[in-house]
Amino acid sequence: MRIMPKRLHSGDTVGVISPSSPPDLESLNKALPFLEELGLKVKMGQSVTAVNGYLAGTDEERLADLHDMFEDPEVKGIICAGGGFGSARFAEYIDYAMIKENPKVFWGYSDVSFLHHAIGMYAELITFHGPMLASDVGKPEFHERSGRMFGQMFRPFELHYDETISSLEVLAGGVADGELVGGNLSSIRSSLGTKFELDTKGKILLIEDTGKEPYQIDEMLNQLKQARKFEQVAGIVVGDFKNAEAAEPGQSWTLEQVLADYFEDMAVPVVKGFKIGHCEPNFSVPLGALARLDAANKTLTILPGVE
């Protein structure tokens, strides 16, 4: 069982970091009142406003922000400003023992998925796959349901996803119980062959991505298949694949054809259509928490991520 971080309370301070690319500062500033409405105070990381090409500061600066927020006793939770690229660059230098000694809510998705893998593996902490400040909260299209999902940081409650939220399609039937792991497909693929390689044995695997054509999704799923990540998986939750249309549709499979090719013959439940990922609403989930995927009833149930 993974460590559950303590719940947040009104009046708590949360740290904001940019572990990957520089966030849009205008959107970030528009998102801060949302945190204030939740009753939270904000401590901004040093590298949030830094720009180093496509990175928010140097690897050392972004790592220092992560360490500082986990070590600071005033900070009760950490929310990422945005994704992009770069979190994996400093993963091997993270002090996982320190994080394990200071378990806190850690919230983000997209490129941050690599940190979810790493922290889950070496600090044994439940982390949260959810909307980020500049990338999501500060945008005009930020959905009310996405905002309500932040409530799971403040009180432990069971999450229940069914077709009242979005239409779901069963690719393979069955019922599965296990830890929910995964997130961004590109990040999962990039972990292969490293000491952060995602363990899917007996787990319910979540996959989502954005801006990838069907052949690119095919390539990543093929690599996961060849790495035997689907052989002992308990079940698969297919999240949102935004902007997955082919540049030349007449010479391409569709995303639906790619997913069917890999998953229709699976002996474990596979359900697609979950609004988890680069979408609105974005249904937040605690990674590392125990979950049940029931294909017959088209439901995903997840136990609380905080204590």
Side-chain angles (χ1 to χ4, degrees):
M1 293 288 292
R2 292 201 195 178
I3 299 167
M4 297 173 71
K6 287 183 171 58
R7 72 187 77 178
L8 299 183
H9 297 87
S10 181
D12 281 348
T13 296
V14 292
V16 174
I17 64 171
S18 294
S20 305
S21 297
D24 181 285
L25 296 181
E26 183 179 353
S27 293
L28 177 59
N29 287 328
K30 289 179 180 178
L32 296 181
F34 172 78
L35 295 182
E36 295 172 4
E37 290 170 10
L38 294 177
L40 298 172
K41 302 172 185 175
V42 174
K43 182 173 183 178
M44 204 68 65
Q46 296 295 312
S47 73
V48 171
T49 58
V51 178
N52 178 25
Y54 44 73
L55 302 170
T58 65
D59 295 343
E60 293 77 14
E61 288 171 331
R62 301 192 322 282
L63 174 62
D65 271 357
L66 180 73
H67 281 163
D68 289 347
M69 294 304 183
F70 270 107
E71 286 183 302
D72 188 342
E74 180 189 9
V75 173
K76 305 303 181 183
I78 302 163
I79 301 177
C80 296
F85 170 77
S87 68
R89 289 176 53 94
F90 60 80
E92 63 183 303
Y93 304 110
I94 294 174
D95 186 344
Y96 295 100
M98 180 274 291
I99 292 177
K100 191 172 183 179
E101 292 170 1
N102 298 276
K104 299 176 182 180
V105 168
F106 179 74
W107 185 287
Y109 76 110
S110 194
D111 188 69
V112 178
S113 289
F114 202 97
L115 297 182
H116 289 315
H117 312 331
I119 292 172
M121 182 178 294
Y122 291 107
E124 301 177 23
L125 179 65
I126 289 177
T127 57
F128 291 84
H129 185 284
M132 296 181 288
L133 298 174
S135 305
D136 304 281
V137 179
K139 298 294 179 64
E141 60 269 22
F142 185 60
H143 197 281
E144 180 187 1
R145 184 185 293 274
S146 302
R148 291 203 306 270
M149 297 307 297
F150 282 80
Q152 65 190 284
M153 300 190 298
F154 294 89
R155 58 188 179 92
F157 58 82
E158 188 175 280
L159 297 174
H160 186 75
Y161 197 117
D162 58 26
E163 286 197 293
T164 62
I165 300 174
S166 67
S167 177
L168 300 173
E169 181 180 342
V170 176
L171 295 177
V175 178
D177 294 283
E179 283 186 6
L180 182 66
V181 300
N184 182 255
L185 182 58
S186 298
S187 293
I188 296 170
R189 194 270 292 271
S190 70
S191 77
L192 298 179
T194 75
K195 70 177 185 179
F196 305 105
E197 182 169 321
L198 185 65
D199 177 17
T200 60
K201 183 178 180 180
K203 311 292 176 63
I204 296 176
L205 175 64
L206 164 66
I207 57 173
E208 66 83 32
D209 218 314
T210 183
K212 302 294 189 297
E213 291 194 44
Y215 81 89
Q216 294 172 305
I217 297 167
D218 188 335
E219 178 187 23
M220 291 189 285
L221 292 177
N222 184 55
Q223 190 167 353
L224 262 64
K225 181 179 179 180
Q226 293 185 346
R228 306 178 74 174
K229 294 301 171 184
F230 300 146
E231 289 186 9
Q232 294 180 298
V233 71
I236 298 176
V237 172
V238 181
D240 193 76
F241 280 79
K242 185 179 181 180
N243 298 330
E245 296 79 19
E248 299 183 23
Q251 301 175 33
S252 173
W253 279 4
T254 64
L255 170 64
E256 288 70 26
Q257 288 174 306
V258 171
L259 294 174
D261 187 63
Y262 280 94
F263 298 136
E264 276 189 343
D265 295 328
M266 294 279 285
V268 298
V270 182
V271 182
K272 73 174 183 178
F274 291 92
K275 301 293 284 185
I276 303 173
H278 296 74
C279 55
E280 289 296 345
N282 182 354
F283 192 89
S284 307
V285 296
L287 295 175
L290 293 177
R292 166 169 286 194
L293 177 63
D294 185 334
N297 292 307
K298 295 185 180 180
T299 59
L300 174 65
T301 305
I302 311 168
L303 293 183
V306 297
E307 64 174 7

